[in-house]
Amino acid sequence: MKLLLTNDDGVRADGLSILASTLSEIAEVYVVAPDRERSATSHSFTLFDPLRVEKVGTRVWSVSGTPADCAYLGLLEFCKGADLVISGINHGYNLGGDIFYSGTVAAAVEAAVRGVPAIAMSMGVGRGADFHRAARFCRSLVTGWRPLPPRTLLSVNVPGPKEPPPPSDQPAYQITRLGERMYRDHVDSRTDPRGNTYYWIGGPLATASEPPGTDVHAVHQGLIAVTPLGLDLTHRELLGTLPSWDVPGFSLIPSASE
Ligand code: MN
């Protein structure tokens, strides 16, 4: 089995190197990853600058681009014919709406777009965080791998050291749906030494609603959350109700049903 690994924390990140060494026990591992931290770059693509690539180890390449660039370059150039793309292990959760910002998830999405199955691996961080636990789960998931439907991927979140221990002696997982993860709105406006205003955006986590069955709920119970994701963001219910809108001056042509 040929695996392409990438991440958004950079090619030297612990999560990635621990994942690579653990998966090397069962598969042929290729790493194509950003040369520096690229967290929260989502699906950004480098189209107006060259991508510089440096081979930094056996089957390891460092790229001056984003996680999505790395998945693309990996699949089309350095690891052609990969059976599976695994992105991570991210240093921090990607729960609920985080997936819209996450470079980790975007690299896995890029693989799914290109018809290659993918896993995004993320883990809660803090003192004593042990990426080996997450890497072992990933190894087991790959060991029992079955084909996914087209245009789908898995997003895995492994509880970090701040969560309670799992309810059973054995590490356990749950199949979940996306929850909501809310951050406080925050714009910090400051003045630089030359008198110009600059900004920092993004607030800390706010209390999330955590209905059972969501990824957020599972990790806070000490369970690994496995969330299946699809590339189709179409909202089925709105497909039915939007035609009742009045849009003056434009006629609505009904679309053919499936
Ligand atoms: Mn990251």
Side-chain angles (χ1 to χ4, degrees):
M1 198 179 200
K2 193 169 173 179
L3 305 180
L4 170 62
L5 269 54
T6 188
N7 74 349
D8 76 358
D9 298 320
V11 70
R12 282 180 294 272
D14 284 347
L16 175 61
S17 48
I18 290 168
L19 184 64
S21 62
T22 304
L23 291 174
S24 296
E25 299 161 13
I26 58 160
E28 195 180 346
V29 171
Y30 292 70
V31 176
V32 180
D35 60 1
R36 72 198 91 144
E37 163 102 39
R38 293 286 196 161
S39 292
T41 55
S42 187
H43 211 119
S44 172
F45 239 26
T46 304
L47 297 179
F48 302 102
D49 285 301
L51 288 171
R52 306 289 179 186
V53 178
E54 191 185 347
K55 195 162 193 278
V56 294
T58 311
R59 300 203 292 254
V60 182
W61 293 267
S62 165
V63 180
S64 68
T66 63
D69 293 332
C70 290
Y72 187 98
L73 258 187
L75 288 172
L76 295 179
E77 184 71 18
F78 299 105
C79 182
K80 291 172 187 166
D83 298 296
L84 182 60
V85 171
I86 305 175
S87 181
I89 304 164
N90 188 57
H91 295 207
Y93 292 130
N94 281 305
L95 298 166
D98 292 344
I99 63 156
F100 292 110
Y101 304 92
S102 167
T104 306
V105 175
V109 166
E110 180 59 24
V113 166
R114 318 206 65 76
V116 180
I119 308 171
M121 291 290 310
S122 309
M123 184 176 155
V125 287
R127 261 172 84 93
D130 179 13
F131 289 108
H132 290 94
R133 225 156 54 86
R136 283 195 294 272
F137 180 74
C138 187
R139 184 182 59 194
S140 293
L141 196 57
V142 172
T143 303
W145 191 258
R146 296 194 197 179
L148 291 180
R151 299 170 63 75
T152 62
L153 59 143
L154 301 181
S155 174
V156 175
N157 280 276
V158 177
K162 290 173 190 162
E163 311 300 346
S168 59
D169 295 343
Q170 207 178 13
Y173 68 98
Q174 201 162 61
I175 310 300
T176 53
R177 65 181 191 278
L178 286 178
E180 285 180 31
R181 204 181 190 213
M182 306 297 283
Y183 295 86
R184 280 209 287 276
D185 295 337
H186 186 69
V187 176
D188 193 353
S189 153
R190 302 184 182 194
T191 308
D192 76 14
R194 298 199 173 92
N196 302 309
T197 305
Y198 66 99
Y199 300 92
W200 284 100
I201 60 165
L205 260 184
T207 38
S209 72
E210 299 182 10
T214 61
D215 53 357
V216 183
H217 185 265
V219 296
H220 290 163
Q221 305 288 114
L223 296 168
I224 297 167
V226 179
T227 309
L229 299 177
L231 301 188
D232 184 356
L233 294 179
T234 310
H235 195 281
R236 303 287 158 184
E237 200 184 312
L238 273 178
L239 272 182
T241 57
L242 269 184
S244 67
W245 284 30
D246 184 27
V247 184
F250 290 82
S251 55
L252 174 69
I253 309 293
S255 54
S257 53
E258 285 174 25

